[in-house]
Amino acid sequence: MNAINLSVMARAKALHKPKSVSPVDAEPARNGPALSELVCIERWNETVDVVSFRFQAGEPMKFDYKPGQFMTFVLEINGEQVCRSYTLSSSPSRPYSLMVTIKRVAGGLVSNYLIDHLQPGQRVRVLPPTGQFNLVDIHATKYLFLSAGCGITPMYSMSRYLTDTQIDADIAFVHSARSDADIIFKSSLETMANRFNAFKLSYALESVVASLLFSPKISFDIGRLTAQMLQTLVPDVAERTVYLCGPEPYMQAVKALLAELNFDMNRLHHESFATAEKVARNQLMQAKSSETDENPQAEAFTLPTFNLAIGDRSTRLTQGQSLLEGIESEGLPIIAACRSGVCGACKCQVLAGETVSTSVMTLSAAEIDAGFVLACSTTLTSDVTLKL
């Protein structure tokens, strides 16, 4: 996974000719990604409870990243360091600034803090963009973007990139929202739909008002997305590569309806927030390690580890590593076809200990009660005894 090193910000000789920092050309940090500062230059409301923030470097430069990747903010709130990852809603085809779009949520410490406190002119510390859910690493010729809520952010970035860089990129985009007032990027998406004939935009709205009016080029249906609705909105769904992002219940429902349509799950790709969290933790750990190497008096930074016992074998897993990583590290036999919580091939049973799962697809209620989990989608929160 390539990501830009934001700490390498060479001075530009002129405003009209900023230096581009790429994953290949940038000088790497000594022992991993470095924490860097960005300046907030603008903020605005997308909806009542969603705010977009635009950032630039301290000096003019271009940013090079992959559409769909996320960036991790490292903040100090109430005297404690916290980090949260947000997908970049900007596109690398418009490289002079970075943008994130954040929704206010009940109990959302970092999201609500940024919305309440971050103003233009203020600086934030960030880790370099990263993430496997992006257009560069997931190739397609016919795209189907499925999103709900703030899951629209990577799809918006990808759509911007494709319409900026390709002629007639074949995109079907179906976004689910409570109402038209909750549609993030509504105006920009309508402009794209009107300008690009191969960009087919549709909405699944839980409620509508009598005066609702969309462009003739935008389709919509009422209710939550179903297999029949998706087939109507996107008749050639079977021919497309699906990119999926949204709240976990939504993503599970979409996976189920795609299975109902006998969709080839090998062409389904989704943003894994558990994986994003793990990557962000590892990035922060490497950044802290780099700081400690450069300053021996700096406080050491370590992640909790837990013991995974399988029969007479055992291994230590760092917080955020999956059961599948531990099983494979011991060379034990396990089938992991999709590695994304869809196929169910990596089912195993937790005999003792506590875990957290991001997917339970293919598992029955009885199996869940008996402790069965999907190894690819499960992490440890304590020492665990496992049965394959």
Side-chain angles (χ1 to χ4, degrees):
M1 181 59 50
N2 294 327
I4 78 168
N5 187 338
L6 291 172
S7 67
V8 184
M9 297 179 178
R11 183 179 300 273
K13 293 184 178 180
L15 287 176
H16 66 279
K17 194 176 180 180
K19 184 170 182 177
S20 175
V21 179
S22 74
V24 176
D25 299 329
E27 178 186 343
R30 182 174 300 177
N31 285 309
L35 284 165
S36 304
E37 281 193 342
L38 294 178
V39 182
C40 176
I41 62 167
E42 190 180 7
R43 60 172 286 166
W44 64 92
N45 274 75
E46 300 285 356
T47 68
V48 171
D49 56 0
V50 177
V51 178
S52 284
F53 298 88
R54 190 179 301 281
F55 301 91
Q56 289 182 339
E59 298 178 359
M61 66 169 289
K62 291 182 178 180
F63 296 100
D64 190 1
Y65 56 98
K66 302 175 183 179
Q69 289 190 313
F70 61 86
M71 183 171 67
T72 299
F73 288 71
V74 182
L75 307 172
E76 186 171 301
I77 302 176
N78 299 326
E80 294 187 6
Q81 180 176 276
V82 292
C83 62
R84 290 294 184 276
S85 300
Y86 297 99
T87 300
L88 289 163
S89 46
S90 51
S91 166
S93 56
R94 304 179 182 200
Y96 295 95
S97 63
L98 299 172
M99 186 173 85
V100 296
T101 302
I102 300 174
K103 178 181 174 65
R104 183 183 294 279
V105 292
L109 176 64
V110 178
S111 296
N112 295 349
Y113 178 87
L114 289 171
I115 290 175
D116 291 336
H117 297 285
L118 183 58
Q119 298 296 328
Q122 295 179 332
R123 294 175 177 265
V124 293
R125 293 197 305 163
V126 299
L127 290 165
T130 189
Q132 297 179 357
F133 185 71
N134 64 77
L135 284 181
V136 176
D137 296 320
I138 304 172
H139 177 71
T141 55
K142 298 182 69 173
Y143 305 87
L144 173 53
F145 297 150
L146 299 177
S147 62
C150 270
I152 197 173
T153 52
M155 311 310 180
Y156 182 71
S157 173
M158 293 176 184
S159 296
R160 281 278 197 188
Y161 182 81
L162 289 170
T163 54
D164 280 348
T165 61
Q166 293 187 20
I167 299 175
D168 293 332
D170 191 342
I171 305 167
F173 191 147
V174 182
H175 179 65
S176 296
R178 292 191 300 268
S179 70
D180 70 302
D182 297 298
I183 299 173
I184 304 169
F185 312 128
K186 180 182 176 182
S187 177
S188 296
L189 288 171
E190 183 168 350
T191 299
M192 277 192 269
N194 288 331
R195 288 183 60 194
F196 303 102
N197 291 329
F199 182 79
K200 306 300 183 184
L201 177 63
S202 305
Y203 294 120
L205 303 176
E206 293 183 29
S207 63
V208 298
V209 295
S211 59
L212 179 63
L213 183 64
F214 282 124
S215 160
K217 291 191 174 183
I218 299 175
S219 303
F220 75 95
D221 208 335
I222 303 172
R224 295 191 175 185
L225 189 65
T226 64
Q228 181 179 355
M229 186 189 299
L230 181 60
Q231 188 78 71
T232 300
L233 294 173
V234 189
D236 61 349
V237 57
E239 302 171 14
R240 296 182 176 272
T241 298
V242 173
Y243 299 73
L244 170 65
C245 190
E248 187 62 28
Y250 165 80
M251 293 203 295
Q252 296 296 339
V254 169
K255 291 173 185 177
L257 70 85
L258 288 174
E260 184 180 339
L261 293 173
N262 295 315
F263 183 79
D264 179 3
M265 292 301 188
N266 290 320
R267 298 211 313 278
L268 168 64
H269 307 275
H270 62 91
E271 176 68 282
S272 171
F273 294 109
T275 299
E277 182 181 351
K278 179 176 69 175
V279 170
R281 273 201 215 99
N282 290 341
Q283 275 191 306
L284 185 58
M285 181 173 65
Q286 292 173 26
K288 289 289 186 179
S289 175
S290 179
E291 290 176 2
T292 303
D293 288 345
E294 294 175 4
N295 177 14
Q297 294 182 347
E299 181 181 358
F301 180 83
T302 58
L303 290 174
T305 62
F306 305 108
N307 188 67
L308 174 62
I310 310 169
D312 59 354
R313 308 282 285 275
S314 67
T315 186
R316 301 292 296 182
L317 293 182
T318 301
Q319 180 179 321
Q321 285 188 287
S322 69
L323 287 176
L324 182 59
E325 291 177 82
I327 295 167
E328 291 181 333
S329 71
E330 288 297 305
L332 295 170
I334 186 168
I335 299 173
C338 71
R339 308 182 80 88
S340 59
V342 176
C343 72
C346 61
K347 179 174 68 177
C348 51
Q349 186 177 19
V350 175
L351 301 179
E354 300 296 326
T355 61
V356 174
S357 295
T358 59
S359 174
V360 292
M361 284 190 70
T362 75
L363 296 179
S364 66
E367 287 175 322
I368 294 172
D369 290 341
F372 284 93
V373 297
L374 302 180
C376 68
S377 306
T378 302
T379 58
L380 283 64
T381 57
S382 73
D383 293 343
V384 163
T385 301
L386 192 69
K387 180 181 178 181
L388 297 181

